[in-house]
Amino acid sequence: MFSLQPGITPLPIVIAYFIIASIIAIFIVKKGKNKMKLMDFVVAGIGGVIVAFADHVIGDAIFLPSPIYPFVNPPVWFRILVFIIVIGVVRKVGAGMLAMGVFDITGDLIHFSFTGEPLWLIEDVLTYGIMADVVIYLTQGRIFGIGEKKLQALLAIFEGGILGIVFSFVHPFFTYGFIAPIVFGFVPDQARIFFLLISYIPGDIVIGAISALAANRVAKVVRSGI
Amino acid sequence: MGFKGFEKLTTYVEYKTPYHLLHPLTKLLIVVIVTIICAESIWWVDLIIGIASLYFYYLLRRIRLILSFSLLQMIGSVLDYSYFVSPVVLREIFGNNLTIIWKFPSYFVFMGFVPYLTLQAIIYSFQVSMRIWTMLMYSGLIFLTTTPSQIIRSFHKMKVPMSITFAITVGLVSLPRIFDTADTIIKLQLMKGIGYKKRIKFLYNLRAMFESIIPLFIYEFKKAKTVSISAETRAFMAYKKRTYIDDITFSKIDKIVVTIMIAALIIDTYLVIVGMIPSIPFHP
């Protein structure tokens, strides 16, 4: 049923990715030193909704002709910007997955409906969410240079850029290349998948780096006031 | 429709419709079954089911809002899909005589575009968008007819961990307020003179929207402190389980609705299998 032709991401690859991601999720949540508190759950919840608002309301309001879209992609850029700020504010393992879970549910309610659930929920949590949480885990909560004494801006640009690169793979291979065809009933095009990947990477890296710098600043303002 | 319109479409409406009487899980089941029926059936089945939901929007006085929002979304979906439908798929469905409307420049192929935009591609995209429209209509009803406390209780019934339930509920409760706050921030930007005496106001409105994100963050996150203190003073999450004075139960009307929906699903699936209801082919 599923094959490389005409462009769908092979099922074994998708299943293998999500199984490995689930194992990593359990591992980092168990091993994470700083556990999320009630305050962090609230911030992640509100943050998830702001991600949905920025992506599905502000981002979608900027309507661009389709050829420009992958290069200049306001919904995805707004999603990256706001999501990175949210994880920068919480900075605890689990925040990424939780914020993405809330984003998915509220995004469903205001935009796509529950079409295709729980596939979208699994996708968002175990792609964007886990990627951010892995960076939080590896940096031991000092993500985007927050809390570091030196090279804060450089670390923010580096980590934001890395997140931008890994985020670029999600939409072409999982969203357009696997789940959307099943849910909406269209046939994906292999040429478009590779075009989406190539066109996403530059913008996502730049936006990731800018968002990380913004997160560095916003996290200080927000955390000092709450 | 503006942000106020979004706020109205995402806020609970105090009214006695039959939908209000249903258990939240029944509403979710309706959306799931509608999703399956839409996925396996031709567009006019989706249209009929979608039109049925308009009755509830009429009772809730949200019919103009939902129609304008969902029709805009449908136009966007049709445009989005029609550029990328493979001619192989279209020939499979409509035969070899495709009506070409527009020829794209040759380099558009590298962006995944098909060389020609055909009438059949638009028809096919309309069929795809119709199923999204119907699903949107029924999921929108959940927001309008369910209170946050009912959502918490239904999540609790599904054994979802309290911390996750809490985060989702805080998010859902915050949603209308975020629209309201963003609307206020944008209006303040406009009052400060953004785009004043400019010919093209739209770009400045977008700028105001973009600039609303960071103040929105700071405003909403500072409120998070109040929310968490309020929850902690009520010993929230001190225990893994909670008890409710007003617990939600599966009533007789829920059982009737669930039976009707399952019957509708079985009948639709049977009619699709025997060929009386055509479907959109997915795998050619």
Side-chain angles (χ1 to χ4, degrees):
Chain A
M1 186 178 174
F2 296 94
S3 69
L4 269 172
Q5 299 297 330
I8 200 156
T9 310
L11 183 66
I13 291 177
V14 176
I15 291 178
Y17 171 81
F18 283 109
I19 289 173
I20 293 166
S22 307
I23 294 166
I24 293 172
I26 294 165
F27 176 78
I28 59 173
V29 168
K30 294 259 182 204
K31 292 279 177 183
K33 283 179 185 171
N34 278 337
K35 300 288 176 196
M36 287 178 73
K37 292 175 185 167
L38 195 58
M39 178 73 186
D40 302 312
F41 286 112
V42 178
V43 173
I46 294 175
V49 181
I50 301 177
V51 179
F53 170 78
D55 181 336
H56 295 315
V57 179
I58 298 180
D60 287 352
I62 304 166
F63 194 80
L64 296 172
S66 214
I68 303 170
Y69 231 88
F71 292 104
V72 183
N73 197 329
V76 172
W77 286 8
F78 278 113
R79 181 189 303 181
I80 292 174
L81 171 74
V82 177
F83 177 56
I84 282 182
I85 293 175
V86 172
I87 55 171
V89 171
V90 182
R91 300 198 301 279
K92 286 175 186 169
V93 175
M97 288 187 281
L98 187 58
M100 268 294 136
V102 176
F103 154 76
D104 182 85
I105 291 167
T106 45
D108 279 347
L109 286 164
I110 61 173
H111 192 69
F112 283 118
S113 77
F114 286 98
T115 320
E117 291 298 358
L119 295 176
W120 301 119
L121 182 69
I122 294 166
E123 187 212 18
D124 284 335
V125 169
L126 292 179
T127 54
Y128 297 109
I130 188 80
M131 287 164 184
D133 280 338
V134 165
V135 178
I136 296 172
Y137 177 77
L138 293 175
T139 55
Q140 296 183 327
R142 291 195 292 273
I143 192 168
F144 310 133
I146 303 163
E148 297 284 357
K149 287 178 182 173
K150 288 178 181 176
L151 304 170
Q152 279 203 8
L154 270 178
L155 283 168
I157 291 169
F158 176 72
E159 288 162 16
I162 293 285
L163 278 176
I165 293 172
V166 289
F167 286 170
S168 303
F169 284 83
V170 178
H171 188 266
F173 288 104
F174 294 118
T175 309
Y176 176 81
F178 189 79
I179 300 176
I182 294 169
V183 174
F184 300 128
F186 68 86
V187 180
D189 183 26
Q190 210 162 356
R192 182 150 181 81
I193 288 178
F194 286 113
F195 171 70
L196 284 173
L197 176 66
I198 292 161
S199 53
Y200 265 100
I201 289 174
D204 284 5
I205 290 174
V206 174
I207 286 296
I210 294 170
S211 309
L213 286 170
N216 188 300
R217 301 291 292 271
V218 173
K220 286 174 192 167
V221 175
V222 172
R223 279 292 180 184
S224 65
I226 56 177
Chain B
M1 53 187 284
F3 284 159
K4 284 285 175 192
F6 273 112
E7 191 191 342
K8 280 186 176 177
L9 282 178
T10 51
T11 313
Y12 175 72
V13 181
E14 188 73 54
Y15 199 80
K16 286 280 176 195
T17 68
Y19 230 82
H20 282 77
L21 301 173
L22 296 178
H23 191 289
L25 289 181
T26 310
K27 293 172 194 172
L28 210 58
L29 186 78
I30 291 172
V31 177
V32 171
I33 290 180
V34 165
T35 303
I36 299 169
I37 291 175
C38 290
E40 65 185 14
S41 314
I42 194 73
W43 68 273
W44 47 261
V45 175
D46 312 345
L47 180 68
I48 293 166
I49 299 169
I51 286 173
S53 71
L54 291 177
Y55 170 69
F56 299 107
Y57 283 101
Y58 172 74
L59 292 178
L60 296 163
R61 296 180 182 181
R62 296 286 187 274
I63 193 154
R64 279 176 62 184
L65 269 176
I66 192 69
L67 280 177
S68 52
F69 175 60
S70 61
L71 289 177
L72 271 173
Q73 197 180 41
M74 191 187 284
I75 292 165
S77 306
V78 171
L79 286 174
D80 199 28
Y81 288 121
S82 58
Y83 304 141
F84 307 111
V85 186
S86 165
V88 179
V89 177
L90 294 175
R91 286 197 190 96
E92 188 94 14
I93 306 165
F94 298 101
N96 283 327
N97 296 323
L98 303 178
T99 314
I100 295 166
I101 297 174
W102 184 260
K103 186 185 175 187
F104 294 113
S106 57
Y107 58 88
F108 271 42
V109 176
F110 297 109
M111 301 172 197
F113 274 53
V114 289
Y116 303 103
L117 174 65
T118 59
L119 177 66
Q120 285 74 17
I122 294 175
I123 293 169
Y124 177 79
S125 306
F126 171 75
Q127 293 187 357
V128 172
S129 70
M130 184 54 73
R131 59 170 77 177
I132 303 167
W133 178 72
T134 309
M135 297 164 198
L136 174 76
M137 298 300 276
Y138 280 91
S139 66
L141 281 174
I142 297 179
F143 243 137
L144 295 171
T145 59
T146 314
T147 59
S149 57
Q150 285 174 330
I151 293 170
I152 287 195
R153 277 175 263 162
S154 57
F155 270 71
H156 182 69
K157 289 258 178 192
M158 288 192 284
K159 311 278 182 203
V160 177
M162 187 51 77
S163 52
I164 295 171
T165 306
F166 181 61
I168 292 168
T169 311
V170 167
L172 292 176
V173 174
S174 311
L175 189 61
R177 201 180 63 221
I178 284 169
F179 282 123
D180 189 37
T181 313
D183 190 49
T184 310
I185 295 167
I186 291 165
K187 279 177 181 161
L188 283 170
Q189 300 268 49
L190 296 173
M191 280 168 67
K192 279 165 67 183
I194 193 168
Y196 180 64
K197 283 187 178 177
K198 301 287 181 188
R199 279 188 180 177
I200 305 167
K201 297 266 183 198
F202 177 68
L203 291 174
Y204 292 94
N205 286 345
L206 285 179
R207 189 180 146 189
M209 281 166 81
F210 174 70
E211 288 177 354
S212 72
I213 291 178
I214 301 295
L216 186 67
F217 256 116
I218 293 167
Y219 184 77
E220 288 297 328
F221 281 174
K222 285 191 174 179
K223 272 190 179 174
K225 187 183 181 184
T226 319
V227 176
S228 63
I229 289 173
S230 307
E232 274 172 356
T233 53
R234 286 161 180 79
F236 197 80
M237 285 172 64
Y239 301 99
K240 283 186 178 175
K241 286 185 179 178
R242 289 180 68 82
T243 53
Y244 297 95
I245 295 171
D246 181 22
D247 207 359
I248 46 168
T249 50
F250 232 64
S251 64
K252 196 178 175 183
I253 188 168
D254 286 304
K255 287 171 188 167
I256 293 168
V257 171
V258 168
T259 312
I260 291 170
M261 290 309 295
I262 291 171
L265 177 64
I266 292 167
I267 292 166
D268 183 77
T269 309
Y270 174 74
L271 293 175
V272 169
I273 290 169
V274 298
M276 288 180 76
I277 293 179
S279 60
I280 305 174
F282 164 45
H283 289 289

